[in-house]
Amino acid sequence: MGDSGGMAVARATVTELREFAAEAGFDGVDVDADLGGGWSAVYCADQPGGAAAALARRTGAPVLTVAYLDSDVGFVEGATFAGGGWKALLNRETAEDYEIPVDRFPVQAALVGARDWAAAGGLTADPEGVRAALTGSEAFAEDLAERLLGALGIAPAAPGEEGA
C-alpha cells in the first residue's frame, strides 16, 4: 500500500495556498512546491470533498485537486473561479480492481473540462497528453498526476522542491 492523501495545485503563492488549504479543511499539509509561473502545490494527508471549488473561490483562480487511494488511484477535481468544474479518474484499470465505477468518470467530458480549465488559467493544454494521463496506467497514481499537470501546461515539481 502506498500513500493516501492528496494534493492541490493553484495559481497562488505557496504561502497563500497553504493558508487557503487550511481554511478549506485540508488536513496534514506537510509539503509544498513552487511550480513556477505563479502556480504552487501543497500535499496533504486528507482533503474534504469539493475542495477544488472551495479553493477556486478563495484564490480567484483555477484549482486542481487529486485525492489518492493508496497511491493506486487518483480522483481529480478541477474547478475555476467562474464555477466551471470537471472530474477525472487516474489509473482506471486499477480503479476497476477496487470496484470503482469508472463510467462515472467519462474521459471525453474530462478532456473538455481540462481544456477549459487550462484556458481559464492562461495555459495551453496538450489534448493528447491529457488523454494519455487520464487513460494511462502507472504503478503510482502520483506519476499520472504529474503527467496530467504537464499536459495541462504546468511543470510539475517533486514535493518539497522549492522553485522547481
Side-chain angles (χ1 to χ4, degrees), residues 21 34 45 93 97 102-103 117-118 145 152 159:
D34 179 341
E93 288 179 26
D97 293 341
V102 298
D103 59 329
W117 182 93
L152 289 170

Side-chain angles (χ1 to χ4, degrees), residues 100-116:
I100 296 168
V102 298
D103 59 329
R104 292 186 183 169
F105 302 91
V107 173
Q108 190 59 38
L111 289 170
V112 171
R115 182 197 67 224
D116 294 345

Side-chain angles (χ1 to χ4, degrees), residues 5-139:
M7 71 171 196
V9 174
R11 179 165 282 176
T13 68
V14 168
T15 302
E16 290 170 335
L17 186 53
R18 285 183 73 89
E19 176 186 321
F20 299 156
E23 291 171 2
F26 280 63
D27 192 29
V29 174
D30 58 357
V31 178
D32 52 51
D34 179 341
L35 304 178
W39 293 86
S40 298
V42 294
Y43 302 85
C44 62
D46 193 26
Q47 60 185 292
L55 283 174
R57 285 189 301 272
R58 184 67 168 98
T59 63
V63 172
L64 181 86
T65 61
V66 183
Y68 298 110
L69 174 62
D70 292 332
S71 286
D72 294 330
V73 177
F75 297 91
V76 178
E77 269 190 71
T80 65
F81 180 72
W86 58 285
K87 293 183 180 188
L89 188 64
L90 300 176
N91 252 357
R92 296 174 75 84
E93 288 179 26
T94 304
E96 289 176 337
D97 293 341
Y98 278 93
E99 298 183 8
I100 296 168
V102 298
D103 59 329
R104 292 186 183 169
F105 302 91
V107 173
Q108 190 59 38
L111 289 170
V112 171
R115 182 197 67 224
D116 294 345
W117 182 93
L123 304 169
T124 302
D126 168 12
E128 290 308 311
V130 172
R131 180 183 296 281
L134 297 181
T135 60
S137 180
E138 292 284 346

